């Protein structure tokens, strides 16, 4: 199975927090999003050694952060190191970038 995680780094994730205490590392919502993604990666890998993961981060723009990899530690490390820039929400761009990680990969198995 191949899974792409689109990590939302837009301002709406931490809007209430950023008004009170701007923090480049985000807020509880952003940390929850990162924890959710790393938890899914670890569980999928434990259940299916063939699982592969790619990652896109997005706010005002969307960027491919990680091509498909079967190394769960690499994917989790990328997520853990993300900081929170804020910005607009470009969900469509994130979906396009995720699709590219599958269409550019050999033997893509998409869910």
């Amino acid at each position: 199975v191949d899974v792409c995680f689109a990590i939302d780094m837009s301002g709406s994730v931490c809007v209430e927090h950023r008004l009170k205490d701007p923090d480049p590392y985000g807020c509880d919502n952003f940390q929850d999003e990162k924890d959710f993604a790393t938890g899914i990666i670890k569980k999928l890998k434990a259940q299916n050694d063939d699982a592969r993961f790619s990652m896109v981060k997005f706010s005002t723009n969307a960027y491919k952060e990680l091509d498909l990899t079967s190394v769960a530690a690499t994917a989790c490390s990328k997520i853990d190191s993300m900081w929170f820039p804020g910005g607009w929400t470009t969900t469509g761009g994130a979906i396009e970038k995720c699709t590219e990680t599958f269409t550019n990969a050999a033997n893509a198995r998409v869910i």
Side-chain angles (χ1 to χ4, degrees):
V1 65
D2 293 345
V3 180
C4 179
F5 291 91
I7 306 296
D8 185 352
M9 305 170 89
S10 67
S12 57
V13 171
C14 294
V15 69
E16 290 180 24
H17 175 80
R18 290 184 66 83
L19 294 174
K20 296 176 194 169
D21 183 23
D23 182 350
Y25 297 101
C27 63
D28 290 344
N29 289 347
F30 184 59
Q31 188 59 51
D32 289 347
E33 180 181 10
K34 291 168 42 171
D35 291 346
F36 174 79
T38 56
I40 294 293
I41 289 168
K42 290 173 184 175
K43 286 182 183 196
L44 280 175
K45 195 62 177 176
Q47 294 176 0
N48 182 352
D49 195 48
D50 292 332
R52 297 187 302 177
F53 315 97
S54 60
M55 190 178 324
V56 168
K57 61 183 181 180
F58 71 99
S59 59
T60 302
N61 296 299
Y63 303 96
K64 181 176 63 175
E65 185 71 13
L66 182 68
D67 285 316
L68 279 173
T69 180
S70 59
V71 182
T74 299
C76 289
S77 175
K78 282 283 191 184
I79 292 171
D80 288 340
S81 68
M82 288 183 173
W83 56 275
F84 185 78
W88 298 102
T89 307
T90 310
T91 308
I95 293 169
E96 288 177 20
K97 293 292 182 186
C98 273
T99 301
E100 288 173 16
T101 69
F102 298 135
T103 57
N104 294 338
N107 301 316
R109 304 166 306 247
V110 182
I111 64 169

